[in-house]
């Protein structure tokens, strides 16, 4: 039961266990277990007799790593123990996302640090205001309001100096003195990265998990659709294709100079109107950028450009141009 943002547990007779409400209360996972209650910021146990007992999760293993390191429940926090079952550090960390990918981010008293695979801290004590997890041997860290880069030995490879920082496809997007740019881990300025994941999303067909696929036919890419398992649903034989929506995909027919809808058996929908330029017909407040004086060909080229961008064959995606 809950009342005024407080919570409590009732026994089978409807009596309030422990005779009071608590900051929070969690039912046991199955019959006979001790429930959890939150008192003054700490989780403790409450048995069926209404007695306060130790937290039933204390000592339970959250994650066990191949190296022998384990993350154990300790109150509302996490204790790190080694293969000898002894704590590797004196700190009890916040219950954040724990993995066996080291160096691993940990938080203590509002500060962040990194734990090595031996269970020891990379920098002791945890001292960073904020951080981004390690990738490629480096992690972004915030010190005194500025961002820098830490290497996997615990040394600042790049002194904190940036107002903002965000990992971005193997580089870091940073801002300094109101200027935004990209750097590598050494601090060298680099070009904006090519985001392959963003590109590949252009080929995906949601929500069924399939995607548009291609084959090269005498130097020309032709397109079809595969399902989530990789099986071909529509053979790659069209100059362009949309994903299925409501059971229909749109493809261009050169002999008609029109886009028409087909079903999964590649039958053209006979009772539906075809359109001259599918990209333009699909957006109400914008038009696809013009790629040919012929509206039909312009739409085909626009769609092909989007698909080629998804294959990383084109620097930028085609644009929609506002009509307002």
């Amino acid at each position: 039961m809950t009342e005024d943002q407080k919570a409590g547990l009732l026994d089978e007779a409807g009596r309030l266990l422990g005779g009071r409400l608590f900051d929070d209360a969690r039912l046991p996972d199955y019959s006979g277990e001790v429930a959890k209650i939150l008192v003054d910021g700490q989780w403790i146990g409450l048995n069926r007799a209404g007695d306060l007992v130790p937290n039933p999760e204390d000592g339970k293993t959250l994650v066990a790593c191949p190296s022998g390191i384990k993350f154990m429940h300790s109150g509302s926090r996490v204790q790190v123990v080694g293969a000898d079952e002894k704590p590797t550090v004196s700190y009890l960390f916040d219950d954040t996302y724990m993995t066996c990918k080291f160096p691993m981010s940990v938080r203590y008293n509002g500060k962040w640090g990194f734990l090595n695979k031996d269970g020891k801290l990379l920098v002791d004590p945890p001292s960073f205001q904020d951080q981004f997890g390690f990738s490629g041997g480096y992690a972004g860290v915030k010190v005194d309001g500025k961002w820098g880069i830490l290497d996997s030995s615990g040394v600042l490879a790049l002194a904190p100096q940036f107002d903002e920082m965000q990992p971005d496809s193997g580089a870091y997007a940073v801002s300094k003195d109101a200027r935004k740019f990209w750097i590598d881990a050494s601090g060298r300025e680099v070009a904006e990265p090519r985001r392959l994941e963003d590109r590949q999303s252009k080929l995906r067909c949601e929500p069924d998990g399939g995607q548009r696929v291609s084959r090269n036919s005498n130097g020309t890419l032709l397109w079809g659709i595969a399902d989530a398992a990789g099986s071909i649903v529509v053979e790659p034989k069209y100059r362009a294709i949309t994903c299925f929506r409501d059971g229909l995909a749109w493809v261009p027919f050169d002999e008609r100079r029109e886009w028409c809808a087909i079903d999964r058996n590649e039958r053209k929908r006979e009772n539906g109107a075809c359109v001259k330029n599918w990209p333009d017909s699909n957006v109400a407040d914008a038009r696809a950028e013009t790629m040919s004086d012929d509206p039909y060909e312009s739409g085909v080229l626009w769609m092909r450009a989007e698909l080629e961008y998804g294959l990383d064959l084109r620097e930028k995606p085609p644009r929609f141009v506002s009509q307002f």
Side-chain angles (χ1 to χ4, degrees):
M1 63 172 291
T2 59
E3 182 179 311
D4 296 330
Q5 305 303 314
K6 296 285 186 175
L9 297 168
L10 301 176
D11 64 15
E12 294 177 352
R15 294 185 295 265
L16 189 64
L17 286 178
R20 55 172 287 198
L21 297 175
F22 304 97
D23 298 327
D24 199 355
R26 306 282 175 85
L27 288 169
D29 291 335
Y30 55 85
S31 178
E33 270 202 16
V34 174
K36 289 196 310 177
I37 55 172
L38 186 64
V39 179
D40 297 329
Q42 294 292 321
W43 287 100
I44 58 176
L46 182 70
N47 66 20
R48 288 178 172 271
D51 301 319
L52 300 182
V53 296
N55 185 340
E57 292 187 348
D58 275 356
K60 286 187 177 180
T61 299
L62 281 169
V63 179
C65 299
S67 64
I69 296 298
K70 290 192 291 188
F71 301 102
M72 316 280 292
H73 271 291
S74 180
S76 58
R77 297 183 180 274
V78 175
Q79 185 173 66
V80 185
V81 301
D84 58 1
E85 301 294 328
K86 294 180 180 179
T88 59
V89 288
S90 60
Y91 310 103
L92 295 178
F93 298 111
D94 292 346
D95 190 359
T96 56
Y97 180 58
M98 302 291 177
T99 74
C100 295
K101 184 178 179 181
F102 298 98
M104 189 198 74
S105 303
V106 290
R107 188 175 63 199
Y108 173 73
N109 279 354
K111 296 289 187 179
W112 288 92
F114 298 95
L115 205 67
N116 265 324
K117 62 182 178 181
D118 61 0
K120 302 293 185 180
L121 284 163
L122 199 59
V123 177
D124 193 352
S127 55
F128 303 114
Q129 292 173 297
D130 206 349
Q131 53 79 43
F132 293 107
F134 270 86
S135 177
Y138 297 93
V141 293
K142 191 175 185 180
V143 180
D144 296 331
K146 297 291 184 180
W147 286 90
I149 295 178
L150 188 77
D151 68 21
S152 57
S153 68
V155 174
L156 282 168
L158 189 61
Q161 58 192 278
F162 301 105
D163 301 317
E164 295 179 350
M165 174 180 283
Q166 180 72 43
D168 189 356
S169 301
Y172 295 89
V174 296
S175 66
K176 184 177 182 179
D177 300 329
R179 176 175 170 253
K180 180 179 178 179
F181 52 102
W182 283 262
I183 61 170
D184 62 16
S186 70
R188 180 174 62 92
E189 189 167 340
V190 296
E192 183 175 353
R194 299 171 71 89
R195 301 176 185 88
L196 294 182
E197 179 63 25
D198 290 347
R199 290 171 172 268
Q200 291 165 359
S201 69
K202 297 291 187 183
L203 305 181
R204 296 196 193 100
C205 294
E206 302 294 347
D208 61 7
Q211 68 173 11
R212 292 179 283 184
V213 294
S214 64
R215 69 176 176 85
N216 192 308
S217 176
N218 297 321
T220 299
L221 283 177
L222 298 180
W223 290 90
I225 296 177
D227 63 19
S231 299
I232 297 297
V233 177
V234 176
E235 288 290 337
K237 61 182 181 183
Y238 299 98
R239 291 176 64 207
I241 193 168
T242 73
C243 291
F244 279 105
R245 185 174 181 180
D246 298 325
L248 297 172
W250 289 79
V251 295
F253 288 91
D254 285 345
E255 65 275 13
R256 298 177 56 128
R257 310 297 291 173
E258 288 183 322
W259 290 72
C260 300
I262 61 171
D263 62 21
R264 292 178 184 271
N265 294 314
E266 299 187 51
R267 293 183 299 238
K268 186 168 68 68
R269 187 179 62 172
E270 297 298 338
N271 61 344
C274 296
V275 297
K276 183 62 69 177
N277 186 336
W278 186 85
D280 268 354
S281 70
N282 197 47
V283 180
D285 58 354
R287 62 174 177 81
E289 66 175 297
T290 301
M291 295 190 165
S292 170
D293 292 335
D294 178 353
Y296 167 78
E297 189 64 20
S298 183
V300 174
L301 292 176
W302 189 97
M303 178 67 73
R304 289 179 63 81
E306 181 177 66
L307 296 170
E308 289 166 4
Y309 175 79
L311 287 179
D312 199 27
L313 299 177
R314 179 184 170 94
E315 181 68 27
K316 294 183 180 296
R319 297 178 297 118
F320 277 110
V321 181
S322 173
Q323 298 195 92
F324 296 101

